[in-house]
Amino acid sequence: MFNFVVLTGRLTADPELKTTPNGISVTSFSIAVSRRYRSGEEPQTDFINVVAWRQNAEFITKYFKKGNMIGIEGSIQTRRYTDKNGNNRTAFEVVVNNAQFVESKRDSNAVSAPGEELGDAASFSNAGESDFSEIADGADEDLPF
């Protein structure tokens, strides 16, 4: 059997780092994920509950804020519980195995940290033809790969 989830979406709130009584870092949050839709149809969004533990939780709470796009790899987990009215409930959430950036800092309109500048992204599109030189035939024989 296989339980593997890959999602990209935007955080719906700032993630908060919490610690279990055993000292393990954890954060729970939700992301807004757009569904595919056909032309003329109304776009729809799903709100997916996510939980991250240990280093993943620390990474996410340090670098991601509400509205940031995040990429998540993980698995779906279900939890059963009884609510305050005595009703049995089932919660579905994605447990993060890996989280990553999927947009640049500039694209996310992130506020820079103190002392940090949002400089121009590296770009090679402004190179001119004179910035390149011809490679002689047979020169690739010296390459180690």
Side-chain angles (χ1 to χ4, degrees):
M1 296 190 197
F2 199 62
N3 182 353
F4 184 72
V5 176
V6 178
L7 297 169
T8 58
R10 295 198 180 273
L11 275 78
T12 61
D14 289 345
E16 292 183 40
L17 187 64
K18 296 181 180 177
T19 307
T20 67
N22 295 335
I24 298 172
S25 300
V26 63
T27 185
S28 296
F29 55 94
S30 65
I31 60 173
V33 179
S34 298
R35 288 189 199 172
R36 287 186 175 200
Y37 61 95
R38 295 187 179 121
S39 179
E41 290 182 352
E42 190 72 26
Q44 294 184 348
T45 303
D46 292 308
F47 296 90
I48 310 293
N49 293 325
V50 179
V51 64
W53 296 89
R54 298 176 178 82
Q55 293 88 354
N56 285 323
E58 293 166 9
F59 171 74
I60 291 167
T61 56
K62 183 175 181 180
Y63 293 107
F64 291 91
K65 302 292 179 215
K66 178 181 179 177
N68 289 152
M69 183 76 80
I70 189 171
I72 292 175
E73 297 173 14
S75 58
I76 295 175
Q77 169 181 287
T78 59
R79 286 184 296 111
R80 296 176 194 265
Y81 66 96
T82 304
D83 67 14
K84 61 184 176 185
N85 296 327
N87 299 315
N88 291 328
R89 301 285 185 188
T90 303
F92 294 85
E93 58 196 4
V94 174
V95 179
V96 176
N97 292 332
N98 184 27
Q100 56 193 341
F101 300 104
V102 292
E103 65 183 348
S104 71
K105 196 169 189 178
R106 173 179 285 187
D107 291 343
S108 69
N109 294 322
V111 176
S112 59
E116 185 178 66
E117 301 265 335
L118 288 177
D120 289 337
S123 173
F124 298 101
S125 63
N126 57 356
E129 195 172 312
S130 63
D131 294 326
F132 298 94
S133 61
E134 195 66 34
I135 297 177
D137 287 337
D140 60 344
E141 292 172 6
D142 296 333
L143 298 176
F145 49 89

